[in-house]
Amino acid sequence: MKKTFKRILYGGDYNPNQWPREVWNEDIRLFRKAGINSATINVFSWAKIQPSENEYYFDELDEIIEMLSRENYDIVLATSTAALPAWMFKKYPEVARTDFDGHHHKFGQRHNACPNSPIYQKFAGRLAEKLAERYGSNEHVTCWHVNNEYGGECFCENCEKAFRVWLKDKYKTIEALNQAWNLEFWGHTVYDWDEIVLPNALSEGIDYERTAFAGMSIDYRRFNSDSMLNNFKMERDAIRSFDPHTPITTNLMGTYKNLDYFKWAKEMDIVSWDSYPAYDTPWSMVAMRHDLMRGLKGQPFMLMEQTPSQQNWQPYNSLKKPGQMRAQSYQTMAHGADTIQFFQLRRSAGACEKFHGAVIEHAGTENTRVFREVSRLGEELKTLGDRLLGAENPAQVGILFDWDNYWSLEYTSGPNKDLKYVDQIHQYYRYFYEKNIPVDMIPADADFSKYKAVIAPVLYMMKDGMQQALEDYVKNGGTLVTGFMSGIVDQSDNVHLGGYPGPLRELAGIWVEEIDALAPEQSNTLRFTDGTEGVCRLLCDIIHLEGAVSIADYTSNFYAASPAVTKNSFGQGTVYYVGTQLEQNALGKVLNLVMASADVKPVIDETTKLEITCRTISNQCYYFIINLTGETLSIPHIFTGKEDILTGNVLTSQTTFAPYDVALVCEEKK
Amino acid sequence: MKKTFKRILYGGDYNPNQWPREVWNEDIRLFRKAGINSATINVFSWAKIQPSENEYYFDELDEIIEMLSRENYDIVLATSTAALPAWMFKKYPEVARTDFDGHHHKFGQRHNACPNSPIYQKFAGRLAEKLAERYGSNEHVTCWHVNNEYGGECFCENCEKAFRVWLKDKYKTIEALNQAWNLEFWGHTVYDWDEIVLPNALSEGIDYERTAFAGMSIDYRRFNSDSMLNNFKMERDAIRSFDPHTPITTNLMGTYKNLDYFKWAKEMDIVSWDSYPAYDTPWSMVAMRHDLMRGLKGQPFMLMEQTPSQQNWQPYNSLKKPGQMRAQSYQTMAHGADTIQFFQLRRSAGACEKFHGAVIEHAGTENTRVFREVSRLGEELKTLGDRLLGAENPAQVGILFDWDNYWSLEYTSGPNKDLKYVDQIHQYYRYFYEKNIPVDMIPADADFSKYKAVIAPVLYMMKDGMQQALEDYVKNGGTLVTGFMSGIVDQSDNVHLGGYPGPLRELAGIWVEEIDALAPEQSNTLRFTDGTEGVCRLLCDIIHLEGAVSIADYTSNFYAASPAVTKNSFGQGTVYYVGTQLEQNALGKVLNLVMASADVKPVIDETTKLEITCRTISNQCYYFIINLTGETLSIPHIFTGKEDILTGNVLTSQTTFAPYDVALVCEEKK
Amino acid sequence: MKKTFKRILYGGDYNPNQWPREVWNEDIRLFRKAGINSATINVFSWAKIQPSENEYYFDELDEIIEMLSRENYDIVLATSTAALPAWMFKKYPEVARTDFDGHHHKFGQRHNACPNSPIYQKFAGRLAEKLAERYGSNEHVTCWHVNNEYGGECFCENCEKAFRVWLKDKYKTIEALNQAWNLEFWGHTVYDWDEIVLPNALSEGIDYERTAFAGMSIDYRRFNSDSMLNNFKMERDAIRSFDPHTPITTNLMGTYKNLDYFKWAKEMDIVSWDSYPAYDTPWSMVAMRHDLMRGLKGQPFMLMEQTPSQQNWQPYNSLKKPGQMRAQSYQTMAHGADTIQFFQLRRSAGACEKFHGAVIEHAGTENTRVFREVSRLGEELKTLGDRLLGAENPAQVGILFDWDNYWSLEYTSGPNKDLKYVDQIHQYYRYFYEKNIPVDMIPADADFSKYKAVIAPVLYMMKDGMQQALEDYVKNGGTLVTGFMSGIVDQSDNVHLGGYPGPLRELAGIWVEEIDALAPEQSNTLRFTDGTEGVCRLLCDIIHLEGAVSIADYTSNFYAASPAVTKNSFGQGTVYYVGTQLEQNALGKVLNLVMASADVKPVIDETTKLEITCRTISNQCYYFIINLTGETLSIPHIFTGKEDILTGNVLTSQTTFAPYDVALVCEEKK
């Protein structure tokens, strides 16, 4: 159990610097009313704090911190390094990024620094240091927030040079590099490190999503992720030199592709993230992102940002309906959050986020639906106190999520361009979500032995050690589910020769001779051993059994009667291999078998459309019961007679859950 | 009444320079036959007239002007500055533009000059001067046509410097600029004018349609419009120094986005424009563009270009059907045109407009349908004489159209990306069009007191003085119709704080607490006080009545039962607020109420699908009766027994209007 | 009859350099088993062969050639110049291309050399020379394969300079150039050659597909095609100086747009090409491409590349079904191939083509379906021996295909953007394909007299001499079919004035007054003289008969009752003019009439869905009978009792053809 904070942080991004002083006082009055106890400040103030190369100006920030300290706020103090001052671009154009098309940028937007610019590094490090020196000993500074939503990439000359250094460090010799990237192909052999150029539109990039040399482009992604991580570490270390204890984070973005968050999380004290589902994002996807964020460190996380009402940068920014923000906040906590923070506390009057919702809207009053809903939640969280802080989310099932696989799978040229990593993972996740079976999202190097079942779809890239780890896991009784496009390549995107699925072949007891690709208008059918039928799409492995048994055969195309889904015993354990993209209900049939044989249980025995999640702490189980459907649902029997902690009401067999209704029930662990 | 010309100019773009001399003679023969009395010349001849930096060659142009003068043509003399000579690009690359992506261009296409290039300005001014000096005293030169279809934009270094000067002139201090653009947001504070960069893809431009700092991008649009307007004024003044009287114009392009035509029109003697509807453009949109062009100066305009038959640059260039060109020409006159000019008189043999229709087609003869239709119209216009020249288009309704709103509304990041300015305006216009209720398109600073009703949809940006002007108007008995996304921001795109619709809140007697966004597949329903129902989409204001009454409430979503459309009494007047995008028939219900209460009348009392428009001069009313539908329509009773001026026939109760039929009836004003 | 090789080459691309030596031995074992007798090598080895400016290293290639020679392989030896070494880009950045947007590229991908770079030319020529000197006398080197899939284009400064030289050579005077490009239009007159810039996105290019000056852009395409052809000729001549006899080819790409293959073929000893239909490419399109490749020289061609199973660079890379590769190979031979070569013999382990099928898959064994199918075909080809080598494809119908028309038709600005050259040609081809009527694809300067009917759809550009040639052909009894968008422009894209279809007007006996464009949702109807009806789209010519008779009139739109399809007698011959895009069955009605009147016969009299093709040699006819439908088909009576050469079986009236079944029957010519 890890308790990072003393209370549930309830607050969010706050930019008093955008407003005159009289507004600050009104803010404090309103925050108090809403139960706000925390504020994230200084996210975008570099230009204000450092008006020129040698001047620093902290007066305003001093005042803000003083005001918040006076109110006993938990201050989340950002380092402001995510948006560089205009003067820096003018004086040092190298701090700007060069984009995928090769254009070097000028001042504008944010997240615009070249991660490998020595000038940027120098100024950013110095700023973090100065902030830590000045505010690190303030007890109200509860958390450091480095930069903001790291992301993007740069293709400038400084990055090109740094890439060569990174590669030399990784591969040591130019021969090893030629080998790793298979540069003999298309006559790409290089003889010197400085013949290497960054893979963008001017070189190997076919377009932003496609590359002629996946090995190179994957390494570039690793390099880019590492470069930004180095930026983070540099700021973190600068802070640590003045403030030895306050936790340091940076806000992540769920399944954001560009950064290997598992690697990042190792360097962060606590994971925080910004949750912005679109109006049509499935709730299972929202939950999966939370579980992924919790999984990064296997610990509770911070919800650094969510909107109280509306976003602005989606194509269609629907309002959150009454109760929705509350329900969504509890869903977040249910999946591991120890804080609820908003972007933002007061709505900006101008620039591109002025249509983004806030606790205090442009009307400027407490007389809004949004404010009332925020206040109600504030009240409840106060009642809840610290009892849930640090609580765990026990799970018997682990789903493997891996950025190397994310990148490499989506760089494949063939067999089917519609293959998307997150969607593939989410299809499996959704099954467990709908069954209320808790899941951990786990990295490729996880300790699998903690799980009754490990789900590893599209495990395209099997890096060194993974075969051994998976074999050990299954041999000792574990259940592994994997499937098409797995075991194909090594860490450099070179094929594991000798027959697919390469290092999984013996484990799965099959050989995949060929992989058929279906266009969107095409599908195949299959039949399960119980006689029921199903439909599949996208890709169809043509499988030969090598010890496994078939649990579903194709019934169409020239490979009709050959196995589509198989099961293999290996040591004490079992491996399921799903050779094609099943429709959701057909996948459900397979996973029902898996759960039965692996003896995996849902949180409660009853079937319900309510989302039921359980967090445990000491010997308590906290059940979050949330209605995220559009219908009114009845209560599961198991909860009748229990108290809803949030309202103090006792749940009866007559209790129903209207859309967005929530209850929280606590029981002794059995 | 303003009579610019002595007769209806009937002609168009003519490029004899593309042809050998023998063709010129044939042209004259054919023009005579077609009733052509005017030609627009010298539109693209700079390279011919000025073969190098210090040489000018006017012999050919002399000959053309002599020939046309001999024939007593009204010459519309262009200055040729819209396409620069190739040698100028070679010698002075700065004359080319830099595009949104940051690419500096080379010689090519047209409208390719950087408006802030001193070299371009010098050469263009000198050319206009030389032309005016040489031909300004020729009485056949009836109109000057500066440049051609000004448009586009430039992001070069000269423009960047000029932008800083423009900003300094506008904002005086850097603090005022920081305030106006809310640069505290995302830490964009600037300390020096030369830290400002143009907002393109290398800086604040997210893509061509989107920006991180709308305030900056709107100012850039104003600056760019002003820059080109300065080019126009420079040429105009150069001409004026030699020719004190001949009217000077440049051809505009309807609802073209980039230039603030209301501002431009103030500098032009007469508005001219080029009308190019696509095969599927609604006739109401065509009419609206004409009304907008008339509204720019509140005066008759020139139709500088239309095709006699076919365009070439649309995706699908359908032929105008028999009678269509005639009907469309009369529609143009009905809405305020005093000239009918074609692009073009003879079809080019080569280059990219060779598939654009012309009076003389590639066949080169008078034996074509197109030529016959042009000749018939020429005959009619001759008969019509000068009686309609300068006639007015009286209207009781003004629809507000404003380029600042056009730009700012479409730059909003949120709530709904499908919000398009012209479409929103057109939805209202269409109602009046279909009812044959005449409308003026009016600027934000119009004299509203002339109108019984002022329609101001999506009045997103309310600039200084507008609140006062609208309040005065309504207080004195006016009727104002406005609605969602109105009153939101000031001239710098910063929100009018204190609750939407800001400066319209008291006027409309409502407070809009929230704005919901609907995706394309979503809709809400509403019910009018008379019990009828309607459907709405796109955006839904959640409205609180503050003195207004509801005339329609939502019946779906969580804001069911809250007002969707309201009506408020203010002083002697009334304000209607339409809080959501109604389907056309539902909007019609609202506007029926408005027209009834404001006592606005259509041109004739009878309901008809014919377009009926009225122009008045002295004490005469001219009714243009045009069938722009695909069906044959019966005659309104009021016109039976009247003479059709165009044919001399008397209209009887048996008279029907086949598709594209037209009649023109004159009556004494009552 | 031309017999280039001693046997049917059966093999394909082979890159042992990507593999360790032990794999080479295994390769040889497997190739032997599969009946492989040929290998294409050294396609991408420049970087390996020339590690730096002054070093050459041939040891590995020596070994490979030695190994293949030992096995008595027919070696297709490539020159490796299609992908430049990385060091060359580093040292000489000019060797890279500048793309359409004006970006100069760096090292990356392949086919990346500027064709007008003197550095590239020097190094490429020297490499070809060295290879020829070293291996030209090896009798196993059966064919030289210069470069690989020439394509793309370059817009760099070297190309700009070379373009000016090319233009000067073509036009001699700047006046002639101004005239040809109609530069008077839009004031584009140039006074000096160096005012000319390449037509890309920075100049005349509206986008990649559209241009402001088609005349210029077409000349650029000719220039670019010539530039690459010069690269080819340079290598060819370098080879010839050491190896006087071995045939030299380069692999083409069917209807690839950028290169004028008819011009290229004149410089090649034998045409070779790479056939990569997508999963949904109609078989008639596949056949048309083969016929086009055969037509380039009017001789048998090499199938240089096809996949044995699966591609990787299509969006959806379906497997070839059992039998499909065999059927497709015979279809290729049926249309003129004398070789069957695969890309590739062994699948790459890494880089972007690793999901492209190969004879030896990643499994590395002979125990795959693909390997078995390759082996079966190898067996059959061995049995077949050399009897078919050099056989002809007699045809009574020629379909005109012309790159100048391809380019110019698709550059037209108007009337309809959906007009695509290859689709237009294919619509006609498909008719003949489905009737089993053999067709030659012929160039604009073909000897038409060889054909009973010449089909020339969208003959938009009629160059000098074509009118005379077509008139002579028809006068002497030929049948010509042409139609809308024909006879419009001359070689410079300037209109043939005097009425469409210009030089075809007298021949067709019609005048096209106007050309209507229909949007995709629009169509017109027409009625044939026999009373049957049809539907047409895209474009509708409005036709006046000038001697011709109508065989179908429009029945809708304002030109209802005017002719849509006409027939004209001219001398001894007949001209059909199809004035609109007919639906396939309506076009079939017209072409049935044409075939009847021209006395053109299918290969066999019977109607069948089988593809029946005939190749003749000496006095033998070889009938390829192939089922490319998804249904089982019965045998045509004419083949009952004949022996299937491939199996030795006698075909009986009970014989049926399952999908992908093939038979080959030989008969004496009658």
Side-chain angles (χ1 to χ4, degrees), chain B residues 641-652 655 663-665:
Chain B
K642 311 289 178 191
E643 183 195 332
D644 170 12
I645 295 172
L646 302 176
T647 60
N649 298 336
V650 172
L651 304 170
T652 73
T655 305
L664 180 60
V665 166

Side-chain angles (χ1 to χ4, degrees), chain B residues 101-301:
Chain B
D101 292 323
H103 296 134
H104 193 68
H105 279 229
K106 306 204 273 184
F107 175 60
Q109 301 186 53
R110 53 177 192 165
H111 311 142
N112 41 22
C114 165
N116 289 299
S117 157
I119 300 283
Y120 168 67
Q121 290 167 357
K122 181 183 77 178
F123 283 122
R126 191 189 288 169
L127 181 61
E129 216 171 66
K130 283 190 182 287
L131 288 165
E133 183 178 11
R134 193 171 191 98
Y135 304 113
S137 59
N138 180 330
E139 58 172 347
H140 298 285
V141 174
T142 308
C143 184
W144 287 94
H145 172 304
V146 170
N147 206 282
N148 183 64
E149 294 183 350
Y150 278 104
E153 68 249 299
C154 179
F155 296 91
C156 76
E157 284 181 30
N158 277 329
C159 284
E160 195 156 87
K161 286 177 199 152
F163 186 45
R164 291 167 186 157
V165 171
W166 186 95
L167 290 170
K168 203 165 173 181
D169 193 49
K170 176 172 182 176
Y171 292 107
K172 312 305 183 208
T173 69
I174 202 78
E175 291 72 28
L177 177 83
N178 276 304
Q179 185 73 24
W181 289 352
N182 198 33
L183 292 181
E184 189 78 34
F185 182 81
W186 283 359
H188 273 222
T189 307
V190 292
Y191 294 95
D192 198 349
W193 299 97
D194 66 0
E195 291 171 15
I196 299 159
V197 298
L198 292 173
N200 70 355
L202 305 181
S203 55
E204 303 296 357
I206 297 171
D207 56 34
Y208 186 76
E209 310 258 313
R210 295 185 301 156
T211 176
F213 278 81
M216 186 190 307
S217 292
I218 293 163
D219 268 343
Y220 169 76
R221 282 192 178 279
R222 289 167 175 148
F223 156 76
N224 182 60
S225 176
D226 283 358
S227 297
M228 292 192 185
L229 182 53
N230 284 339
N231 291 169
F232 171 80
K233 284 157 69 179
M234 177 195 64
E235 290 199 40
R236 181 199 63 189
D237 295 347
I239 292 166
R240 269 289 163 269
S241 65
F242 290 93
D243 176 350
H245 300 305
T246 311
I248 301 174
T249 191
T250 183
N251 49 342
L252 308 182
M253 295 180 287
T255 56
Y256 178 69
K257 188 170 179 180
N258 280 20
L259 305 179
D260 180 350
Y261 282 158
F262 276 112
K263 193 166 182 185
W264 277 62
K266 290 190 171 75
E267 308 293 338
M268 296 163 64
D269 295 322
I270 184 168
V271 165
S272 65
W273 90 286
D274 302 345
S275 176
Y276 288 112
Y279 79 96
D280 55 356
T281 306
W283 288 107
S284 52
M285 181 64 95
V286 181
M288 183 179 96
R289 291 173 187 157
H290 289 311
D291 284 353
L292 178 61
M293 294 296 97
R294 188 187 71 243
L296 292 182
K297 290 188 84 71
Q299 290 174 11
F301 60 87

Side-chain angles (χ1 to χ4, degrees), chain B residues 610-613 623-627 635-636 639 651 657 661-665:
Chain B
L610 291 164
E611 183 188 315
I612 317 276
T613 323
Y623 291 94
F624 290 80
I625 308 161
I626 312 178
N627 185 355
I635 190 172
F639 295 122
L651 304 170
F657 286 77
D661 273 358
V662 179
L664 180 60
V665 166

